[in-house]
Amino acid sequence: MRGYFGIGIDGISKTGNMGNLIRTGHAFGASFAFAVNPKIVAHTGEPITKPFLTDTSNSTDQIPFYQYDTVEDLVVPKGCQLVGVEISDDAIDLPSFRHPTRAVYVLGGERTSLSSAMADRCDMMIKIPTKFSLNVATAGAIVMYDRQRLLGGFPDRPLMAGQKPDAKKAHVHGGPRNRRASKASKTES
């Protein structure tokens, strides 16, 4: 798959969901994961993102995890699109969405939506067309699966149920590039 992506949660309040999202992100090839404005545990003063008990594959040893105190602190790599995942009237339904090659996906925390500051910062907004809100880690998994399905180079599904799909096309490498020859052919045209 070309490009890269990161995934995170704005206003996370449950450590299990963050760990689950990081583990799933690692499985789908996320380049990094993050949390913005995580809940602080009252009796310890530590952010909810300190332990990742549900990240049984120790994904944070494999992909970077970033924590930002505010929306303004969030660093989006140059050339990336910030894509909010939110149930809103102006959001694009996920099955109709064309994923950017370079994207950072952000979901709202449990029982909340994206903060207004985060929603304002997003370049695009998408929604999963469901009857009601999903668990934040489940919603993130669906978005990452959809990205993988569309950008992963998989052949189209067969027309009839039960038919085997076409084989995945082999990657074609281009030949060596000679910049001088390319420039010369452009000036001759």
Side-chain angles (χ1 to χ4, degrees), residues 75-141:
V75 175
V76 176
K78 185 176 180 178
C80 268
Q81 301 286 312
L82 184 58
V83 181
V85 182
E86 185 64 68
I87 298 172
S88 69
D89 292 336
D90 60 338
I92 300 167
D93 285 326
L94 183 60
S96 302
F97 180 67
R98 174 69 60 193
H99 292 268
T101 307
R102 296 171 293 182
V104 175
Y105 300 96
V106 61
L107 300 100
E110 305 85 349
R111 298 184 186 152
T112 64
S113 300
L114 289 174
S115 65
S116 58
M118 183 64 79
D120 289 344
R121 187 155 175 208
C122 289
D123 299 304
M124 300 171 212
M125 198 70 72
I126 61 175
K127 65 181 171 186
I128 301 168
T130 57
K131 293 181 182 180
F132 47 83
S133 181
L134 299 172
N135 169 278
V136 66
T138 301

Side-chain angles (χ1 to χ4, degrees), residues 2-133:
R2 291 180 178 267
Y4 59 90
F5 74 97
I7 191 153
I9 302 174
D10 177 27
I12 184 76
S13 65
K14 295 182 180 176
T15 187
N17 285 330
M18 192 75 241
N20 188 344
L21 187 70
I22 292 169
R23 182 173 189 262
T24 305
H26 178 217
F28 277 112
S31 299
F32 61 93
F34 64 95
V36 176
N37 189 24
K39 178 182 173 185
I40 302 298
V41 179
H43 65 279
T44 66
E46 296 283 340
I48 201 80
T49 53
K50 179 112 172 132
F52 293 117
L53 304 176
T54 55
D55 178 17
T56 56
S57 64
N58 294 323
S59 297
T60 53
D61 290 345
Q62 308 303 315
I63 63 172
F65 173 77
Y66 302 104
Q67 182 172 299
Y68 304 102
D69 293 331
T70 68
V71 172
E72 294 77 25
D73 295 337
L74 173 63
V75 175
V76 176
K78 185 176 180 178
C80 268
Q81 301 286 312
L82 184 58
V83 181
V85 182
E86 185 64 68
I87 298 172
S88 69
D89 292 336
D90 60 338
I92 300 167
D93 285 326
L94 183 60
S96 302
F97 180 67
R98 174 69 60 193
H99 292 268
T101 307
R102 296 171 293 182
V104 175
Y105 300 96
V106 61
L107 300 100
E110 305 85 349
R111 298 184 186 152
T112 64
S113 300
L114 289 174
S115 65
S116 58
M118 183 64 79
D120 289 344
R121 187 155 175 208
C122 289
D123 299 304
M124 300 171 212
M125 198 70 72
I126 61 175
K127 65 181 171 186
I128 301 168
T130 57
K131 293 181 182 180
F132 47 83
S133 181

